[in-house]
Amino acid sequence: RLPHDRLPQRIERPPVADEREKADATSADASAAGEPRAVVVPEARAIIVAQLPAQPIPKSLAAPGLCAFIATAKYQDGLPLYRQETILARHGLSISRATLATWMIRLGELIVPLINLAEEVQLAYDVLQMDETTVQVLKEEGRAAQSQSRMWVRRGGSPDKPVILFNYEPTRSGKVAWRLTEDFKGYLQSDGFSGYDAVGKREGVVHIGCLAHARRKFDEAMKAQKAGDRGGLAVEGLALIQRIYRIEKAAREAGLTPEQRKQLRHERARPVWDELRRWLDAKRGHAPPQMLIGKAMTYLDNQWPQLIRVLSDGRLEVDNNRCENALRPFVLGRKAWLFSDTPAGAEASARLYGLIETAKANGCEPYAYLRRVFTDLPKATTLAEIEALLPWNVARPATLSVAA
């Protein structure tokens, strides 16, 4: 305390600043924490209140650490906001789920520059994988609350700059696939959904199929056989596909370069592909098309031109599993939070899922990376400062790295 004769005679305050304490979180702890902002200057006989640094959500209690904690808990760990509301209350923070949802929308808006830059990097590389899954959005204009919308995912970028992006769309229309790949040229890998067909026929695009989907159909046909029946067409087809996968596994475990993998496929996998084609031609007429094995063989035959193209470039994967795996946190989270309330919430979720998955793909720990972004992005004023926050440009101390 200052002596009476040294009490300040004036208080200087900046014209703009949210003076409430900021709630912050470190690691898994959420606690109220205020940054010291008032400085007593005896010589000036004044208390000078420093202006707050730029915040991820201006005029709110949401400091970078708390924002990162909530976003990571929802989009990485699948923890719904209504449960986080209860958890935060136990730590003395009374924040409603409606407020938390609004914060996520605002954070989704904040990271738009990063998403746009990441998309440029993704589309500049000539290998891209795509997939999509359902999402329910309650308040879509002109649609019933029970309607099923779509969350699309794209996985691409060079090996040293992998990029995973999500896009919320009301439909599964092929027009969406076309728009999301409008600036892309190269190899596009997807499952057999017909919405990708038009893109695959576009000049400059080579459509690659997914062998995992074919294998899955043969596996379903085999499981549908009578107990004790270990033979049949399903077993034969699946055995040939499994031989291809064993070669792919050997290439992966050996750490081959793309050129080496292409050579290995030419020497060892190509003969198996040829054998699978001969088998399919000889046996397809033996399976009724309405049975599971008939459907599996029809799918394999229809997708054959796209599947066999994997042999042309060692950078290509035999299936779309890496893209499907990028969807897994979303699918697991969907089981807990069930739906998005509004399109704005779904769009924000898409951006945050994409940024987190891209960070992970580049070796960054999600919470530490988001905290860095939410701290520095509000202060960024130049393109260089924004680019410095892309996951592959961020220095990775122990707190930012994902253990190998």
Side-chain angles (χ1 to χ4, degrees):
R1 299 179 59 182
L2 295 175
H4 289 290
D5 61 347
R6 297 184 64 189
L7 284 174
Q9 300 302 309
R10 60 191 173 88
I11 297 178
E12 295 183 0
R13 299 178 184 272
V16 290
D18 177 8
E19 296 183 7
R20 289 172 290 177
E21 287 188 337
K22 295 287 175 177
D24 209 345
T26 57
S27 300
D29 298 320
S31 61
E35 298 182 50
R37 299 172 50 230
V39 180
V40 177
V41 184
E43 295 80 2
R45 300 177 65 80
I47 297 176
I48 300 176
V49 181
Q51 183 170 341
L52 273 174
Q55 297 297 311
I57 306 175
K59 297 184 179 181
S60 79
L61 293 174
L66 182 60
C67 289
F69 175 78
I70 295 167
T72 303
K74 179 175 181 181
Y75 300 111
Q76 170 61 28
D77 302 326
L79 195 62
L81 295 181
Y82 76 88
R83 292 176 62 188
Q84 294 198 54
E85 177 185 13
T86 302
I87 294 170
L88 292 172
R90 291 204 303 266
H91 290 273
L93 289 174
S94 179
I95 308 174
S96 71
R97 73 189 74 174
T99 298
L100 296 177
T102 300
W103 286 1
M104 295 303 101
I105 292 175
R106 297 290 297 277
L107 294 174
E109 295 168 351
L110 172 69
I111 64 174
V112 166
L114 284 176
I115 297 298
N116 291 342
L117 290 172
E119 184 176 36
E120 291 179 5
V121 171
Q122 183 185 72
L123 296 178
Y125 192 66
D126 62 345
V127 178
L128 183 68
Q129 296 179 319
M130 288 187 69
D131 201 5
E132 32 74 36
T133 189
T134 59
V135 60
Q136 186 178 358
V137 181
L138 299 184
K139 297 175 182 176
E140 287 180 315
E141 185 176 355
R143 306 185 76 200
Q146 297 80 12
S147 301
Q148 291 294 321
S149 300
R150 284 294 189 274
M151 190 67 77
W152 296 69
V153 63
R154 292 171 289 167
R155 191 187 196 285
S158 61
D160 61 331
K161 295 179 181 179
V163 178
I164 299 167
L165 297 177
F166 288 69
N167 289 83
Y168 152 74
E169 296 290 342
T171 73
R172 199 189 185 197
S173 168
K175 294 179 181 179
V176 177
W178 183 279
R179 178 169 52 79
L180 293 177
T181 61
E182 197 164 8
D183 297 324
F184 174 75
K185 290 187 177 181
Y187 295 105
L188 173 66
Q189 187 166 36
S190 72
D191 57 25
F193 169 49
S194 60
Y196 298 106
D197 291 349
V199 179
K201 295 174 183 177
R202 193 172 66 205
E203 184 179 359
V205 176
V206 180
H207 197 186
I208 308 297
C210 175
L211 187 59
H213 278 76
R215 178 177 63 175
R216 204 169 296 154
K217 293 182 182 298
F218 278 92
D219 185 61
E220 291 170 356
M222 186 184 70
K223 291 177 179 177
Q225 293 179 171
K226 294 180 180 179
D229 185 358
R230 298 184 178 181
L233 297 176
V235 175
E236 294 174 7
L238 189 60
L240 288 168
I241 293 173
Q242 295 288 44
R243 285 171 58 188
I244 295 173
Y245 269 98
R246 283 195 290 272
I247 296 169
E248 292 295 321
K249 181 180 179 181
R252 185 170 57 253
E253 291 178 345
L256 301 184
T257 65
E259 194 57 40
Q260 290 171 332
R261 183 157 71 159
K262 180 180 177 181
Q263 182 65 26
L264 179 69
R265 286 171 173 170
H266 176 74
E267 295 173 355
R268 295 181 53 191
R270 183 67 196 230
V272 183
W273 281 99
D274 291 342
E275 185 179 351
L276 180 60
R277 180 72 252 186
R278 290 192 297 270
W279 173 86
L280 183 61
D281 291 339
K283 303 290 188 177
R284 187 180 173 193
H286 299 181
Q290 70 274 16
M291 294 181 63
L292 287 177
I293 182 57
K295 293 178 180 179
M297 298 175 83
T298 298
Y299 182 89
L300 179 60
D301 185 54
N302 291 341
Q303 289 294 301
W304 189 265
Q306 290 89 333
L307 291 170
I308 201 69
R309 289 175 186 151
V310 72
L311 299 174
S312 63
D313 194 317
R315 296 173 302 160
L316 302 176
E317 299 294 335
V318 74
D319 56 39
N320 209 31
N321 282 356
R322 296 180 76 181
C323 191
E324 289 189 11
N325 289 341
L327 269 173
R328 188 166 298 167
F330 174 83
V331 173
L332 292 175
R334 184 180 59 193
K335 294 179 180 179
W337 46 257
L338 301 178
F339 53 80
S340 291
D341 187 47
T342 65
E347 289 170 0
S349 293
R351 295 184 190 123
L352 288 162
Y353 271 114
L355 190 61
I356 288 174
E357 290 304 307
T358 298
K360 288 162 54 182
N362 285 274
C364 294
E365 192 280 317
Y367 168 78
Y369 174 71
L370 288 183
R371 181 166 185 154
R372 170 77 175 273
V373 167
F374 296 155
T375 299
D376 292 347
L377 186 56
K379 299 181 289 187
T381 58
T382 67
L383 178 60
E385 289 174 337
I386 298 173
E387 288 179 331
L389 294 174
L390 290 167
W392 47 86
N393 291 333
V394 172
R396 300 184 187 93
T399 54
L400 272 179
S401 299
V402 174

